[in-house]
Amino acid sequence: MENSQALRTWLDDLKLSHPLVIAGPCSAETEEQVLKIAHELKDSDVTYLRAGIWKPRTRPGMFEGVGAIGLKWLQKAKAETGMLTATEVANAAHVKLALEHDVDLLWIGARSTVSPFIIQEIADALEGTDKIVLVKNPVNPDLALWLGAIERLYNANIKKLGVIHRGFSTYQKTKYRNIPEWQLAVDLQNKFPDLPLICDPSHITGKRDMIFDVCQTALDLNYDGLMIETHFDPDNAWSDAAQQVTPDSLKQIMRDLKIRKETDEEAEYNSKITNLRAQIDVLDNKLIETMGERMKVADGIGALKKQRNVAVLQSNRWNEVLGKMILEGEEKGLSEEFILKVFKAIHQESINHQEKVIKG
Ligand code: PEP
Ligand code: MN
């Protein structure tokens, strides 16, 4: 991808005065639903109508998409509203059908990007296409895997490429459905400044009331566009109900977002500081999650001590923990004074929890 300038052209050709917006339901459900959403979105900043036709669901037995019939609904929506269309493809058969039905933009889902075999199959099926192809990040935070997928498509002579950042899954619970790890997408942006970068706040947050903030962060980081799941009746959507917004809320989000026009120097500063702050937010959130989990374990210890009638404070054990943490802290550049303060506070909270259990 040495000479990657051409990658940007498709986006510049759209001549938008605002970020690119791709919106529509997580899943196409019925013909009426697709058409209703398309009509409600047609007079807005939305350029591409999205709808999932084949849905990669984590567990079997859930709604797995309407299949190829949904492509006819997208075609009808395009004919009636003039909107361009977008859907996810996950194998060569999907690609063939999507191309036959003249879908304008195809995206590759997070569960496909993790598999080089699937990506190669999709790249071969798309060879030389002039359709736009966007690659979502893999579910795991692995930049090389994401880049590898982009390279496979580029090598298949697909030049209208871009990426979608939809966040990364973690075992640890956070306030996000998929944590953003902004620095990873920003690294990709720095490596390939001509590769359009779209944010998918719906799958990052999993909750509609967090979408605006994630969109604003993305724009502050100079993202080129947004992909937002939109449904006229989100609560009754057949998939991803909690994260979809109504067409009216989508329009409100677009009105409220600040698109900052800055000098290059300001833009660089703002993008760096936003990125760093976003990292701090994620880490703070992890700290709270971890401390919450730690106190749950303390409750368990309290229950055990109560059963065996053992005293809450075991000073040997406490001194051992403290000594270990001071050494580990030192390795991370944390002063002894700081470790003492933090762990005394944590220990006190832990004692409070245990006493509560014991007094029960
Ligand atoms: C989707 O866009 O509906 C979807 C399935 O997304 P992801 O691949 O990011 O999970
Ligand atoms: Mn979805």
Side-chain angles (χ1 to χ4, degrees):
M1 300 222 310
E2 305 78 47
N3 182 13
S4 61
Q5 253 96 329
L7 295 173
R8 253 209 103 68
T9 322
W10 67 266
L11 184 59
D12 294 338
D13 284 349
L14 292 171
K15 296 198 192 330
L16 302 172
S17 56
H18 52 74
L20 172 70
V21 188
I22 304 164
C26 175
S27 302
E29 297 165 2
T30 64
E31 179 173 337
E32 296 68 39
Q33 174 241 19
V34 171
L35 293 177
K36 185 168 157 69
I37 295 173
H39 279 279
E40 289 182 20
L41 289 176
K42 76 169 192 269
D43 298 313
S44 69
D45 288 350
V46 179
T47 305
Y48 288 91
L49 174 71
R50 68 151 277 161
I53 303 295
W54 301 283
K55 300 303 297 178
R57 306 310 298 273
T58 305
R59 310 275 303 272
M62 298 160 102
F63 171 60
E64 292 189 328
V66 294
I69 182 80
L71 296 168
K72 300 247 184 285
W73 307 341
L74 279 176
Q75 260 181 322
K76 197 161 174 192
K78 174 154 58 171
E80 286 186 14
T81 65
M83 295 180 85
L84 299 167
T85 54
T87 201
E88 172 177 347
V89 288
N91 61 36
H94 295 167
V95 168
K96 187 166 178 284
L97 283 163
L99 294 179
E100 277 167 15
H101 289 81
D102 204 26
V103 173
D104 301 287
L105 181 159
L106 297 84
W107 83 82
I108 296 171
R111 290 164 195 77
S112 303
T113 311
V114 291
S115 165
F117 287 132
I118 282 292
I119 293 293
Q120 194 56 55
E121 174 182 328
I122 295 173
D124 292 342
L126 280 167
E127 171 101 45
T129 186
D130 60 356
K131 301 289 185 187
I132 295 160
V133 181
L134 304 183
V135 188
K136 284 200 171 194
N137 65 257
V139 281
N140 54 323
D142 183 340
L143 182 57
L145 204 49
W146 200 359
L147 283 174
I150 298 159
E151 280 160 2
R152 283 178 199 277
L153 293 159
Y154 192 77
N155 292 342
N157 204 21
I158 302 159
K159 293 295 186 295
K160 294 185 182 171
L161 282 174
V163 292
I164 304 176
H165 173 209
R166 53 77 84 192
F168 302 89
S169 94
T170 54
Y171 184 58
Q172 204 172 22
K173 266 211 171 78
T174 72
K175 67 173 175 174
Y176 297 101
R177 178 177 176 194
N178 292 291
I179 55 166
E181 304 280 17
W182 293 101
Q183 74 285 358
L184 217 136
V186 170
D187 282 352
L188 180 82
Q189 190 182 41
N190 290 339
K191 251 194 174 117
F192 298 103
D194 293 310
L195 193 60
L197 173 59
I198 316 291
C199 179
D200 169 350
S202 309
H203 291 88
I204 289 180
T205 64
K207 285 183 229 49
R208 67 181 68 94
D209 61 358
M210 285 169 66
I211 286 183
F212 176 82
D213 283 346
V214 167
C215 288
Q216 188 62 66
T217 302
L219 296 189
D220 292 346
L221 290 171
N222 290 322
Y223 279 48
D224 298 288
L226 302 165
M227 175 156 172
I228 304 179
E229 288 188 341
T230 311
H231 193 296
F232 54 82
D233 184 10
D235 285 335
N236 291 306
W238 297 3
S239 58
D240 286 350
Q243 71 194 31
Q244 303 204 55
V245 297
T246 62
D248 279 346
S249 338
L250 177 79
K251 289 174 198 170
Q252 191 60 46
I253 288 173
M254 296 315 298
R255 277 194 291 274
D256 292 344
L257 284 172
K258 289 197 176 48
I259 298 155
R260 306 184 210 281
K261 294 248 180 296
E262 310 136 319
T263 63
D264 285 354
E265 208 176 300
E266 275 168 347
E268 199 185 324
Y269 166 80
N270 283 328
S271 139
K272 279 189 180 146
I273 194 107
T274 308
N275 178 23
L276 292 171
R277 283 184 178 148
Q279 289 183 48
I280 293 275
D281 287 350
V282 170
L283 292 170
D284 282 348
N285 191 249
K286 279 190 192 162
L287 280 176
I288 295 288
E289 284 290 336
T290 305
M291 284 193 280
E293 273 171 37
R294 194 189 191 285
M295 293 311 150
K296 274 199 205 122
V297 175
D299 289 341
I301 292 181
L304 210 58
K305 285 180 179 166
K306 182 178 182 176
Q307 227 177 40
R308 297 288 308 263
N309 210 12
V310 180
V312 166
L313 185 63
Q314 303 281 321
S315 18
N316 288 353
R317 162 75 183 152
W318 165 234
N319 287 327
E320 205 181 290
V321 170
L322 206 53
K324 216 165 65 186
M325 289 304 108
I326 289 172
L327 283 179
E328 287 189 13
E330 206 172 287
E331 271 173 34
K332 302 274 178 212
L334 306 171
S335 70
E336 180 170 338
E337 187 197 357
F338 172 70
I339 295 289
L340 281 172
K341 266 193 209 153
V342 170
F343 275 88
K344 274 187 186 157
I346 291 177
H347 187 231
Q348 187 56 55
E349 182 71 7
S350 186
I351 288 177
N352 296 349
H353 269 253
Q354 292 186 36
E355 276 184 338
K356 215 164 147 189
V357 171
I358 288 173
K359 287 178 187 149

